Amino acid sequence: MPAASAPASPNPAPRVRRTVFVEGVRTPFGRARPDGLYAHTRADDLAVKTVRELLRRHPELPAERIDEVAIAATTQQGDQGLTLGRTVGVLAGLPRTVPGYAIDRMCAGAMTAVTNVAAAIGVGAADVALAGGVEHMGHHPMGFDADPNPRFLAERLVANDALNMGVTAENLHDRFGALTRERADAYGAASQRKYAEALAAGRIDADLVPVATRDPERGWGLATADEPPRPGTTVEGIAALPTPFRPGGRVTAGTSAPLTDGAASCLLAAEDTAAELGLPVRMRMVAFAYAGVEPEIMGIGPVPATRRALERAGLTIEDIGLFEINEAFAVQVLAFLDAFGIADDDPRVNPDGGAIAVGHPLASSGVRLMTQLARQMAERPDVRYGLTTMCVGLGQGGTVIWENPHHPEYVPTSDVPTSDVPTSEEAAR
């Protein structure tokens, strides 16, 4: 007698809706020091400024249509604690009905905020969301007041220097002999040069929202430009710098991202909702992935994360026309390039410079990468796919692959067969 077939599920899995990047903005980045741009500015106010700017730029978006606010911070205390997503939403003037939450994946905080809300959009739990991150490293130094579990060392789960990011960069130099100091020095100087060229060409200012500042001695001011860049940096100058993480080492201030204060936020939507509201589409999320690696060489994290993301997207590294790689350290970028057979000076890689020049306010940098990539895609309609990727403390990496809506082969949701893309109602069921 034939076996009875299993009854059909009353709640079949919904088809995933497409998530698009509408726009991203960031504050100018400041140096994390007592006389830095934001020495007397609250971290949560920096995040509020970015959210308000997104709302100002998009009056076509009714604020009540925002379904979620996800804001990341690595050190969640003081003025960047208290459930940032919710407090930033309230302080930015969003309706009280808009919920929010805080998130932490260290350097990939904002990236994780983006992928979390994108996943919610994909299954119909949200139509529009805000995601971003803030880090005031002047108020909250990395690892400040942290209490790592003693089992990490007692049970030899990680090396005793794995929590020092600079040492993990030195470890990458040790592990891979091709990653020389000379290559890192050249890369650091190139990052500064590319940023200076992008700034002179007017390609940076559109991403920035000015921030009013106040200093007890100097009075009121207006932050309109990034503070960390050092134009005119040369390979010879970097070569003369000391190696603070190890005597006779290879990592210097010229090949590391400076300690930085700043915030960045972006607006995400389901593609059909963007069409309904008249919101622009700057990129479409194709796939994302996170991966763990040995904490001692955390800088290699983008490599397995990118391989996973490419596999999920059905793409190869040759399909990627633009790379935005977070420059926590030059050696980390070089390790990525070597893993995929990409030249150090490949013009697809960080064409406007990176964190070595502009700074790395930890949890905010993921959206900074996305904002730059979105602008570059608008300038390069010949490029169909780009990616944003970064290493993460304690041994992780994260990668997001994006499609360019300006590319001639891009197909918007409205042109995809309805059997392939669910409506909002279908996705919510």
Side-chain angles (χ1 to χ4, degrees):
M1 191 173 192
S5 60
S9 169
N11 295 301
R15 291 162 291 170
V16 176
R17 288 193 300 166
R18 290 153 53 119
T19 299
V20 297
F21 185 95
V22 173
E23 184 159 12
V25 298
R26 66 176 178 88
T27 66
F29 287 170
R31 287 190 170 272
R33 60 190 188 191
D35 61 346
L37 275 178
Y38 303 125
H40 303 283
T41 302
R42 289 181 60 96
D44 48 12
D45 282 339
L46 293 176
V48 166
K49 188 67 176 178
T50 61
V51 168
R52 284 180 172 169
E53 177 65 8
L54 287 170
L55 297 174
R56 186 192 70 80
R57 293 189 184 191
H58 295 285
E60 71 275 23
L61 172 64
E64 63 273 12
R65 290 294 301 271
I66 298 171
D67 295 306
E68 190 68 270
V69 182
I71 303 293
T74 300
T75 307
Q76 295 189 10
Q77 60 179 210
D79 58 350
Q80 57 188 43
L82 196 62
T83 316
L84 268 174
R86 175 59 172 170
T87 58
V88 166
V90 171
L91 291 167
L94 294 178
R96 298 296 194 269
T97 53
V98 178
Y101 63 97
I103 197 165
D104 171 27
R105 199 197 295 261
M106 297 186 77
C107 302
M111 177 178 282
T112 305
V114 167
T115 56
N116 274 11
V117 300
I121 289 169
V123 299
D127 290 326
V128 182
L130 289 159
V134 61
E135 208 74 47
H136 198 308
M137 300 182 76
H139 292 175
H140 312 284
M142 183 167 54
F144 178 74
D145 208 27
D147 181 19
N149 195 303
R151 291 180 51 226
F152 278 133
L153 301 183
E155 299 180 16
R156 298 184 180 180
L157 300 174
V158 297
N160 60 2
D161 57 9
L163 300 182
N164 184 310
M165 299 301 101
V167 173
T168 68
E170 289 282 7
N171 291 342
L172 266 184
H173 277 291
D174 293 342
R175 185 74 63 95
F176 303 102
L179 302 177
T180 63
R181 175 168 178 174
E182 290 73 20
R183 286 179 66 192
D185 290 353
Y187 186 90
S191 180
Q192 296 281 359
R193 173 184 55 77
K194 289 190 288 185
Y195 174 86
E197 291 172 353
L199 183 66
R203 295 200 302 271
I204 301 297
D205 290 345
D207 300 344
L208 305 182
V209 50
V211 177
T213 61
R214 185 178 184 279
D215 184 280
E217 297 180 359
R218 292 175 289 183
W220 288 96
L222 190 66
T224 60
D226 296 312
E227 188 177 27
R230 294 185 179 277
T233 296
T234 64
V235 174
E236 294 75 19
I238 294 177
L241 294 174
T243 58
F245 303 110
R246 181 187 297 173
R250 288 143 294 193
V251 180
T252 70
T255 56
S256 309
L259 302 178
T260 317
D261 305 330
S265 295
C266 67
L267 186 62
L268 301 162
E271 191 171 27
D272 55 345
T273 303
E276 172 200 343
L277 297 175
L279 295 169
V281 173
R282 288 182 167 82
M283 300 189 294
R284 178 181 77 88
M285 185 179 291
V286 177
F288 66 87
Y290 297 93
V293 297
E294 298 172 53
E296 295 82 5
I297 53 167
M298 66 96 189
I300 205 70
V303 174
T306 297
R307 286 175 175 151
R308 283 187 185 180
L310 288 169
E311 182 179 0
R312 291 172 180 174
L315 300 172
T316 68
I317 200 69
E318 288 74 24
D319 294 313
I320 305 302
L322 287 166
F323 296 83
E324 277 294 325
I325 308 171
N326 192 45
E327 299 171 354
F329 301 96
V331 67
Q332 168 255 310
V333 180
L334 296 173
F336 179 94
L337 299 181
D338 282 2
F340 290 103
I342 301 170
D344 294 4
D345 59 353
D346 192 305
R348 298 174 297 168
V349 177
N350 294 3
D352 293 338
I356 289 173
V358 75
H360 174 29
L362 301 182
S364 71
S365 288
V367 166
R368 196 266 304 169
L369 297 173
M370 296 169 191
T371 301
Q372 288 195 187
L373 180 63
R375 173 169 39 76
Q376 292 156 13
M377 282 187 162
E379 299 165 357
R380 293 285 308 277
D382 58 305
V383 171
R384 185 169 184 182
Y385 297 107
L387 67 75
T388 53
T389 189
M390 59 201 317
C391 60
V392 187
L394 285 179
Q396 299 182 80
T399 297
V400 187
I401 297 175
W402 303 89
E403 185 179 12
N404 188 353
H406 308 286
H407 189 273
E409 294 182 35
Y410 181 79
V411 179
T413 294
S414 58
D415 294 339
V416 175
T418 56
S419 60
D420 295 334
V421 179
T423 64
S424 299
E425 293 77 12
E426 288 174 331
R429 284 201 293 268

